[in-house]
Amino acid sequence: MKILSLNVILLIACASSEKVRFDNYSLYKIFPQNEQQVSVLQDLYNKETQYDFWNHPTMSAEYVNVLSSPLDRSRLESFLNKTDIKFFITIANVQEIIDRQTVANYTRNNIRSMSWNRYYNLDNINAWLEDLKDAYPNIVTLITGGQSYEGRAIKGIKLSHGSGRRAIFIEGGIHSREWISPATVCYIINELLTSDDRETKAAATDFDWYIFPVVNPDGYVWSHEVDRMWRKNRRPFGSEFGVDLNRNWNSNWLVAGSTSNPASNNFAGLGPFSEPESRSLSAYLRTIGDQIDLYLSFHSHGHLLLLPFGNTTEPLANYWDAINIGKRAMGALSVRYGTNYATGNIAEAIYLATGGSIDWVKEHLNVPLVYCYELRDDGTYGFLLPEEQILPNNEEVMDSLLELIHQAKRFGYMSNAPHLKASLMTLVALILAFVF
Ligand SMILES: [Zn+2]
């Protein structure tokens, strides 16, 4: 009977493209207390594929979120009781929460109608980007970062106030069910274009910003139209679908935290960069790699700021600077609403996982500062973060981003803003004029 669960239901839905329903599916928050309990949960994760683990059981994880069908609930609970692992149910009926997440419609040609208490689908986000280009023709350029398996363009925008600036690159929505990621990225764009705050305006004008809210467009559309819990892209493999695009980059590919099983949510693909999304985006990145000072990737959930690498806990490259800058930024993030993020490299903060975008960017493009945010929440709603948390999430992230830039400058990174260079040149010219 257990087979008649998530996978089969998903298959039926994939074949017919009818919306997958999660009636009486429950979200568990599970608290392993010691190595033995972590190990039995890892066993469950590896062997019992009917459970959808939203994060990995490790000693560093405070909790593990598991989604269970109503059919499998009693088996899961008796297993947890037998192994003496504490747990509670955070959402009894996941479908109820999904039904509440009504997706808003953005009104074309009214950029102010993008609100921060609703999630938007791909068409809405792309229409908004186009309207921004019309509203800010001297600052905004539409850019294409590549193409998806199903032929959709990976659309983004470049914000630039002139030539000669160093770049900040932002990537969102690589895991399609993490809807808060594109919502955060869109908010950052909006702040950079419309805020009156002095520091935000300086950040907007000092750098060229390359921003892609949804780099897995096929998966995002599928998550909106068919299966809210979809994570991967949509390439078919027999009866299975999708590659985890954040395990497909050519950096220690398939070494850890990923599998060669197409049925898995962590399927790494048939080879490094086998997927058009990761391959084309990386090719785009190569064209501007030497300009990028800061690279940010947005995921959910878990209140974490991660940095490379995912294959080792060794403090490689400029680990200590990156950690110090990151921790200060997370201090700023906590001020507004008291949300506490932990900072660490992927391997130490979550688990060994390779083939992700940030590792490739650090390894192959040598970008000085590279981070991945695991946004709200703390495992209560997980990927189903309620709309009323979008704005506070976005505000605290924006606070942290400004502090990240501030601290990066203090630590000697990102210090060559053009207006500083210009003032320095003026000063030198004045001195020369005075002397001679
Ligand atoms: Zn993710």
Side-chain angles (χ1 to χ4, degrees):
M1 266 320 265
K2 77 174 186 186
I3 306 293
L4 228 197
S5 55
L6 211 55
N7 287 343
V8 169
I9 291 168
L10 292 183
L11 263 181
I12 294 166
C14 290
S16 61
S17 286
E18 273 173 26
K19 248 192 174 168
V20 177
R21 292 194 60 84
F22 293 88
D23 294 299
N24 297 313
Y25 276 61
S26 301
L27 183 63
Y28 286 78
K29 193 170 178 181
I30 299 167
F31 300 89
Q33 300 291 308
N34 52 49
E35 273 181 39
Q36 199 204 344
Q37 293 185 342
V38 167
S39 158
V40 297
L41 280 174
Q42 280 170 346
D43 241 33
L44 189 76
Y45 169 80
N46 290 326
K47 290 182 188 150
E48 311 259 344
T49 53
Q50 73 270 37
Y51 299 118
D52 183 6
F53 278 71
W54 287 8
N55 59 327
H56 283 239
T58 62
M59 277 308 285
S60 56
E62 272 174 45
Y63 61 87
V64 182
N65 275 144
V66 176
L67 178 67
S68 172
S69 76
L71 288 171
D72 298 314
R73 276 184 49 179
S74 60
R75 251 174 72 79
L76 177 63
E77 288 182 17
S78 64
F79 172 84
L80 295 171
N81 286 327
K82 203 172 69 194
T83 48
D84 205 22
I85 300 177
K86 291 189 175 59
F87 68 92
F88 62 85
I89 292 174
T90 64
I91 307 174
N93 180 2
V94 160
Q95 187 61 42
E96 265 178 22
I97 306 293
I98 293 174
D99 290 341
R100 237 182 276 158
Q101 285 191 324
T102 50
V103 172
N105 266 324
Y106 160 71
T107 314
R108 273 312 301 264
N109 304 313
N110 181 4
I111 57 169
R112 292 186 191 281
S113 78
M114 176 69 96
S115 62
W116 311 108
N117 54 5
R118 287 283 186 277
Y119 292 105
Y120 290 89
N121 66 22
L122 186 70
D123 285 346
N124 280 304
I125 291 172
N126 286 343
W128 181 66
L129 296 181
E130 282 191 31
D131 285 350
L132 289 177
K133 179 201 66 178
D134 295 340
Y136 301 94
N138 298 325
I139 301 166
V140 172
T141 317
L142 289 181
I143 49 178
T144 301
Q147 238 192 353
S148 71
Y149 176 80
E150 292 177 344
R152 292 185 177 87
I154 298 172
K155 292 186 179 175
I157 62 172
K158 179 183 176 185
L159 311 183
S160 180
H161 288 258
S163 59
R165 285 155 167 82
R166 300 291 297 164
I168 295 174
F169 192 102
I170 296 182
E171 154 234 305
I174 201 167
H175 288 145
S176 41
R177 61 187 175 182
E178 300 163 7
W179 284 10
I180 187 61
S181 163
T184 305
V185 174
C186 288
Y187 182 82
I188 293 170
I189 294 172
N190 192 66
E191 284 295 291
L192 292 172
L193 286 170
T194 65
S195 175
D196 290 327
D197 171 64
R198 189 184 50 82
E199 214 181 339
T200 308
K201 282 166 93 165
T205 52
D206 285 356
F207 299 95
D208 282 348
W209 294 77
Y210 294 84
I211 308 183
F212 293 90
V214 185
V215 301
N216 174 13
D218 299 350
Y220 194 62
V221 168
W222 197 256
S223 173
H224 275 264
E225 293 182 358
V226 180
D227 179 0
R228 175 65 185 83
M229 296 306 163
W230 196 256
R231 167 181 168 97
K232 305 185 283 181
N233 77 351
R234 289 296 302 162
R235 181 197 284 277
F237 293 90
S239 59
E240 302 293 345
F241 284 82
V243 171
D244 182 344
L245 293 177
N246 211 36
R247 300 290 182 278
N248 188 244
W249 294 61
N250 190 13
S251 174
N252 292 302
W253 180 79
L254 199 56
V255 169
S258 55
T259 83
S260 51
N261 173 12
S264 164
N265 255 338
N266 297 119
F267 176 42
L270 298 179
F273 286 141
S274 60
E275 299 314 293
E277 293 88 349
S278 47
R279 191 171 60 243
S280 55
L281 188 61
S282 66
Y284 181 83
L285 273 160
R286 277 195 191 282
T287 66
I288 52 166
D290 59 352
Q291 300 164 36
I292 304 173
D293 276 349
L294 172 65
Y295 184 101
L296 300 175
S297 172
F298 286 95
H299 289 249
S300 75
H301 57 283
H303 298 171
L304 296 167
L305 185 73
L306 305 172
L307 51 129
F309 289 89
N311 65 318
T312 174
T313 54
E314 288 287 307
L316 298 179
N318 57 341
Y319 171 91
W320 292 110
D321 276 0
I323 280 281
N324 281 323
I325 293 166
K327 283 188 170 166
R328 285 167 162 83
M330 294 308 103
L333 185 146
S334 70
V335 171
R336 197 184 283 255
Y337 297 110
T339 313
N340 288 310
Y341 275 49
T343 306
N345 87 6
I346 301 168
E348 68 188 349
I350 319 188
Y351 57 101
L352 292 173
T354 60
S357 62
I358 69 166
D359 279 9
W360 183 86
V361 166
K362 186 70 183 170
E363 186 187 344
H364 291 269
L365 302 182
N366 293 312
V367 171
L369 294 171
V370 180
Y371 296 98
C372 165
Y373 279 75
E374 294 285 353
L375 299 163
R376 288 194 183 197
D377 64 2
D378 63 355
T380 304
Y381 291 95
F383 307 129
L384 298 168
L385 189 72
E387 283 93 332
E388 58 268 25
Q389 288 200 46
I390 297 173
L391 184 59
N393 170 86
N394 294 353
E395 288 172 329
E396 67 196 10
V397 167
M398 197 65 211
D399 294 341
S400 75
L401 177 52
L402 296 176
E403 184 65 13
L404 197 59
I405 293 168
H406 173 67
Q407 292 297 337
K409 287 178 178 170
R410 278 193 62 222
F411 277 71
Y413 298 89
M414 308 174 72
S415 55
N416 54 345
H419 73 271
L420 289 176
K421 255 198 282 188
S423 342
L424 204 62
M425 305 257 289
T426 314
L427 189 66
V428 170
L430 278 172
I431 292 169
L432 289 174
F434 184 75
V435 170
F436 299 103

Short mmCIF file of all heavy atoms in Angstrom, two decimals, residues 234-263:
data_model
loop_
_atom_site.label_atom_id
_atom_site.label_comp_id
_atom_site.label_asym_id
_atom_site.label_seq_id
_atom_site.Cartn_x
_atom_site.Cartn_y
_atom_site.Cartn_z
N ARG A 234 12.13 19.84 -15.73
CA ARG A 234 11.06 18.96 -16.23
C ARG A 234 11.53 18.00 -17.32
O ARG A 234 10.72 17.52 -18.11
CB ARG A 234 9.89 19.82 -16.74
CG ARG A 234 9.12 20.51 -15.65
CD ARG A 234 8.41 19.53 -14.71
NE ARG A 234 7.50 18.65 -15.44
CZ ARG A 234 7.03 17.51 -14.98
NH1 ARG A 234 7.38 17.08 -13.78
NH2 ARG A 234 6.21 16.78 -15.71
N ARG A 235 12.81 17.68 -17.37
CA ARG A 235 13.28 16.73 -18.39
C ARG A 235 12.75 15.33 -18.05
O ARG A 235 12.87 14.89 -16.90
CB ARG A 235 14.81 16.69 -18.42
CG ARG A 235 15.33 15.72 -19.49
CD ARG A 235 16.78 15.38 -19.24
NE ARG A 235 17.70 16.44 -19.62
CZ ARG A 235 18.15 16.62 -20.87
NH1 ARG A 235 17.73 15.83 -21.84
NH2 ARG A 235 19.02 17.57 -21.13
N PRO A 236 12.17 14.64 -19.02
CA PRO A 236 11.68 13.28 -18.75
C PRO A 236 12.80 12.23 -18.79
O PRO A 236 13.71 12.34 -19.61
CB PRO A 236 10.67 13.04 -19.89
CG PRO A 236 11.09 13.95 -20.99
CD PRO A 236 11.84 15.11 -20.37
N PHE A 237 12.68 11.25 -17.90
CA PHE A 237 13.57 10.08 -17.90
C PHE A 237 12.68 8.86 -17.77
O PHE A 237 12.37 8.42 -16.66
CB PHE A 237 14.55 10.13 -16.73
CG PHE A 237 15.55 11.23 -16.84
CD1 PHE A 237 15.27 12.48 -16.30
CD2 PHE A 237 16.76 11.06 -17.50
CE1 PHE A 237 16.17 13.52 -16.41
CE2 PHE A 237 17.65 12.09 -17.62
CZ PHE A 237 17.36 13.33 -17.07
N GLY A 238 12.22 8.33 -18.88
CA GLY A 238 11.25 7.25 -18.81
C GLY A 238 10.00 7.75 -18.13
O GLY A 238 9.42 8.77 -18.55
N SER A 239 9.63 7.08 -17.04
CA SER A 239 8.41 7.51 -16.34
C SER A 239 8.70 8.58 -15.28
O SER A 239 7.80 9.07 -14.61
CB SER A 239 7.74 6.30 -15.68
OG SER A 239 8.65 5.72 -14.78
N GLU A 240 9.98 8.91 -15.10
CA GLU A 240 10.36 9.92 -14.11
C GLU A 240 10.63 11.26 -14.79
O GLU A 240 10.88 11.31 -15.99
CB GLU A 240 11.62 9.48 -13.34
CG GLU A 240 11.49 8.15 -12.63
CD GLU A 240 10.49 8.18 -11.48
OE1 GLU A 240 10.12 9.29 -11.05
OE2 GLU A 240 10.08 7.10 -11.03
N PHE A 241 10.61 12.31 -13.96
CA PHE A 241 10.86 13.64 -14.53
C PHE A 241 11.83 14.42 -13.65
O PHE A 241 11.76 14.36 -12.42
CB PHE A 241 9.56 14.45 -14.60
CG PHE A 241 8.66 14.04 -15.73
CD1 PHE A 241 7.82 12.94 -15.59
CD2 PHE A 241 8.66 14.73 -16.94
CE1 PHE A 241 6.99 12.55 -16.63
CE2 PHE A 241 7.84 14.34 -17.99
CZ PHE A 241 6.99 13.24 -17.83
N GLY A 242 12.71 15.16 -14.32
CA GLY A 242 13.39 16.23 -13.64
C GLY A 242 14.76 15.93 -13.06
O GLY A 242 15.04 14.85 -12.52
N VAL A 243 15.64 16.94 -13.20
CA VAL A 243 16.98 16.93 -12.61
C VAL A 243 17.02 18.05 -11.57
O VAL A 243 16.47 19.14 -11.80
CB VAL A 243 18.04 17.19 -13.70
CG1 VAL A 243 19.41 17.41 -13.09
CG2 VAL A 243 18.07 16.05 -14.70
N ASP A 244 17.65 17.76 -10.44
CA ASP A 244 17.87 18.81 -9.45
C ASP A 244 18.93 19.76 -10.01
O ASP A 244 20.12 19.41 -10.06
CB ASP A 244 18.34 18.19 -8.12
CG ASP A 244 18.54 19.23 -7.04
OD1 ASP A 244 18.62 20.44 -7.37
OD2 ASP A 244 18.63 18.84 -5.86
N LEU A 245 18.50 20.93 -10.44
CA LEU A 245 19.43 21.85 -11.12
C LEU A 245 20.51 22.37 -10.20
O LEU A 245 21.53 22.88 -10.66
CB LEU A 245 18.66 23.01 -11.75
CG LEU A 245 17.73 22.63 -12.91
CD1 LEU A 245 16.97 23.86 -13.40
CD2 LEU A 245 18.52 22.00 -14.06
N ASN A 246 20.32 22.26 -8.90
CA ASN A 246 21.38 22.70 -7.99
C ASN A 246 22.29 21.54 -7.57
O ASN A 246 23.00 21.63 -6.58
CB ASN A 246 20.80 23.40 -6.76
CG ASN A 246 21.73 24.47 -6.24
OD1 ASN A 246 22.40 25.16 -7.00
ND2 ASN A 246 21.82 24.59 -4.91
N ARG A 247 22.25 20.45 -8.34
CA ARG A 247 23.21 19.34 -8.21
C ARG A 247 23.88 19.05 -9.55
O ARG A 247 24.61 18.09 -9.68
CB ARG A 247 22.50 18.06 -7.72
CG ARG A 247 21.81 18.17 -6.38
CD ARG A 247 22.82 18.26 -5.23
NE ARG A 247 22.12 18.31 -3.95
CZ ARG A 247 21.59 19.38 -3.41
NH1 ARG A 247 21.69 20.56 -4.06
NH2 ARG A 247 20.98 19.34 -2.24
N ASN A 248 23.58 19.89 -10.56
CA ASN A 248 23.98 19.58 -11.93
C ASN A 248 25.17 20.42 -12.41
O ASN A 248 25.66 20.25 -13.51
CB ASN A 248 22.76 19.78 -12.86
CG ASN A 248 23.01 19.32 -14.27
OD1 ASN A 248 23.00 20.10 -15.22
ND2 ASN A 248 23.26 18.03 -14.44
N TRP A 249 25.67 21.34 -11.57
CA TRP A 249 26.78 22.21 -12.00
C TRP A 249 28.09 21.43 -11.94
O TRP A 249 28.24 20.49 -11.15
CB TRP A 249 26.84 23.47 -11.15
CG TRP A 249 25.64 24.36 -11.34
CD1 TRP A 249 24.34 24.02 -11.08
CD2 TRP A 249 25.61 25.69 -11.85
NE1 TRP A 249 23.50 25.08 -11.40
CE2 TRP A 249 24.26 26.13 -11.87
CE3 TRP A 249 26.59 26.59 -12.28
CZ2 TRP A 249 23.87 27.39 -12.31
CZ3 TRP A 249 26.21 27.86 -12.71
CH2 TRP A 249 24.86 28.25 -12.73
N ASN A 250 29.03 21.85 -12.77
CA ASN A 250 30.27 21.10 -12.93
C ASN A 250 31.28 21.44 -11.82
O ASN A 250 32.34 22.00 -12.06
CB ASN A 250 30.88 21.39 -14.30
CG ASN A 250 32.03 20.46 -14.60
OD1 ASN A 250 32.23 19.47 -13.91
ND2 ASN A 250 32.81 20.80 -15.62
N SER A 251 30.90 21.10 -10.60
CA SER A 251 31.80 21.29 -9.47
C SER A 251 31.59 20.10 -8.53
O SER A 251 30.55 19.99 -7.89
CB SER A 251 31.48 22.61 -8.75
OG SER A 251 32.24 22.72 -7.58
N ASN A 252 32.56 19.20 -8.52
CA ASN A 252 32.43 17.95 -7.74
C ASN A 252 31.09 17.27 -8.00
O ASN A 252 30.42 16.81 -7.09
CB ASN A 252 32.59 18.23 -6.24
CG ASN A 252 33.98 18.65 -5.88
OD1 ASN A 252 34.94 17.92 -6.12
ND2 ASN A 252 34.12 19.85 -5.33
N TRP A 253 30.72 17.19 -9.27
CA TRP A 253 29.43 16.65 -9.67
C TRP A 253 29.25 15.21 -9.16
O TRP A 253 30.15 14.40 -9.29
CB TRP A 253 29.32 16.67 -11.20
CG TRP A 253 28.02 16.11 -11.70
CD1 TRP A 253 26.81 16.74 -11.74
CD2 TRP A 253 27.80 14.80 -12.21
NE1 TRP A 253 25.85 15.89 -12.23
CE2 TRP A 253 26.43 14.70 -12.55
CE3 TRP A 253 28.63 13.68 -12.43
CZ2 TRP A 253 25.87 13.54 -13.08
CZ3 TRP A 253 28.07 12.54 -12.95
CH2 TRP A 253 26.70 12.47 -13.28
N LEU A 254 28.12 14.95 -8.57
CA LEU A 254 27.71 13.64 -8.06
C LEU A 254 28.64 13.10 -6.96
O LEU A 254 28.68 11.91 -6.69
CB LEU A 254 27.60 12.61 -9.20
CG LEU A 254 26.76 11.34 -8.96
CD1 LEU A 254 25.35 11.67 -8.55
CD2 LEU A 254 26.76 10.44 -10.19
N VAL A 255 29.40 13.98 -6.33
CA VAL A 255 30.31 13.51 -5.28
C VAL A 255 29.56 13.29 -3.98
O VAL A 255 29.77 12.29 -3.28
CB VAL A 255 31.48 14.51 -5.09
CG1 VAL A 255 32.28 14.20 -3.83
CG2 VAL A 255 32.38 14.50 -6.31
N ALA A 256 28.64 14.19 -3.62
CA ALA A 256 27.94 14.04 -2.33
C ALA A 256 26.59 14.72 -2.37
O ALA A 256 26.37 15.68 -3.11
CB ALA A 256 28.79 14.65 -1.21
N GLY A 257 25.65 14.20 -1.57
CA GLY A 257 24.33 14.82 -1.41
C GLY A 257 23.50 14.83 -2.68
O GLY A 257 22.61 15.67 -2.83
N SER A 258 23.81 13.92 -3.59
CA SER A 258 23.04 13.84 -4.83
C SER A 258 23.05 12.38 -5.29
O SER A 258 23.84 11.58 -4.80
CB SER A 258 23.67 14.74 -5.90
OG SER A 258 25.03 14.41 -6.08
N THR A 259 22.17 12.05 -6.22
CA THR A 259 22.11 10.65 -6.65
C THR A 259 22.02 10.56 -8.16
O THR A 259 21.77 11.54 -8.86
CB THR A 259 20.86 9.93 -6.08
OG1 THR A 259 19.73 10.22 -6.92
CG2 THR A 259 20.54 10.35 -4.67
N SER A 260 22.19 9.32 -8.66
CA SER A 260 22.02 9.06 -10.09
C SER A 260 20.65 8.43 -10.35
O SER A 260 20.42 7.87 -11.41
CB SER A 260 23.14 8.15 -10.60
OG SER A 260 23.24 7.02 -9.77
N ASN A 261 19.76 8.53 -9.36
CA ASN A 261 18.42 7.95 -9.49
C ASN A 261 17.42 9.04 -9.92
O ASN A 261 17.11 9.95 -9.16
CB ASN A 261 18.03 7.36 -8.13
CG ASN A 261 16.58 6.89 -8.11
OD1 ASN A 261 15.95 6.79 -9.17
ND2 ASN A 261 16.07 6.61 -6.91
N PRO A 262 16.89 8.93 -11.13
CA PRO A 262 15.98 9.98 -11.63
C PRO A 262 14.72 10.16 -10.78
O PRO A 262 14.07 11.20 -10.87
CB PRO A 262 15.60 9.48 -13.04
CG PRO A 262 16.65 8.50 -13.41
CD PRO A 262 17.12 7.87 -12.12
N ALA A 263 14.38 9.16 -9.97
CA ALA A 263 13.18 9.29 -9.14
C ALA A 263 13.43 10.20 -7.94
O ALA A 263 12.48 10.67 -7.30
CB ALA A 263 12.74 7.91 -8.65
#
